[in-house]
């Protein structure tokens, strides 16, 4: 039951985001294919340089990719960072 409420609020947040920052179908599909934590971060933290543009697709996709990369499992990026620190 709580899960359904979370999904509902997530969908509402996403709809508000897309009304404020219009994106094309490709960008919407890309954003929606991300894990919920990434989508939440994009909705919460995305701030374009200018408001009122007609299409934010490219920058939303780039921002989404950066959010996803920052949330990569420790086995990928985190391990590389740890190895680098040990070498230094």
């Amino acid at each position: 039951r709580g899960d359904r409420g979370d999904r509902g609020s997530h969908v509402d947040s996403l709809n508000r985001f897309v009304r404020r920052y219009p994106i094309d179908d490709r960008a919407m599909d890309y954003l929606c294919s991300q894990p919920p934590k990434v989508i939440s971060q994009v909705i919460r933290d995305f701030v374009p340089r200018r408001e009122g543009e007609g299409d934010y697709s490219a920058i939303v996709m780039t921002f989404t990719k950066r959010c996803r990369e920052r949330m990569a499992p420790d086995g990928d990026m985190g391990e590389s960072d740890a190895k680098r620190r040990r070498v230094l």
Side-chain angles (χ1 to χ4, degrees):
R1 192 177 142 160
D3 185 41
R4 193 179 319 148
D6 292 345
R7 261 189 257 145
S9 66
H10 192 76
V11 169
D12 290 343
S13 296
L14 188 57
N15 286 334
R16 281 192 302 274
F17 178 83
V18 172
R19 277 195 303 272
R20 184 172 183 180
Y21 306 115
I23 57 176
D24 62 21
D25 290 341
R26 184 171 163 241
M28 183 67 155
D29 290 344
Y30 182 71
L31 178 58
C32 289
S33 72
Q34 302 306 312
K37 286 183 178 182
V38 172
I39 296 170
S40 293
Q41 183 178 6
V42 170
I43 290 170
R44 182 183 65 242
D45 297 340
F46 178 77
V47 179
R49 291 182 189 201
R50 291 190 305 188
E51 295 265 347
E53 298 289 321
D55 185 13
Y56 290 90
S57 300
I59 55 176
V60 166
M61 288 180 71
T62 299
F63 187 76
T64 301
K65 183 179 178 186
R66 287 187 186 144
C67 290
R68 187 190 70 218
E69 288 170 351
R70 275 186 246 138
M71 291 186 178
D74 288 341
D76 293 339
M77 296 169 84
E79 188 175 303
S80 298
D81 290 343
K83 284 180 183 177
R84 262 187 248 125
R85 277 188 229 121
R86 274 187 254 140
V87 170
L88 299 174

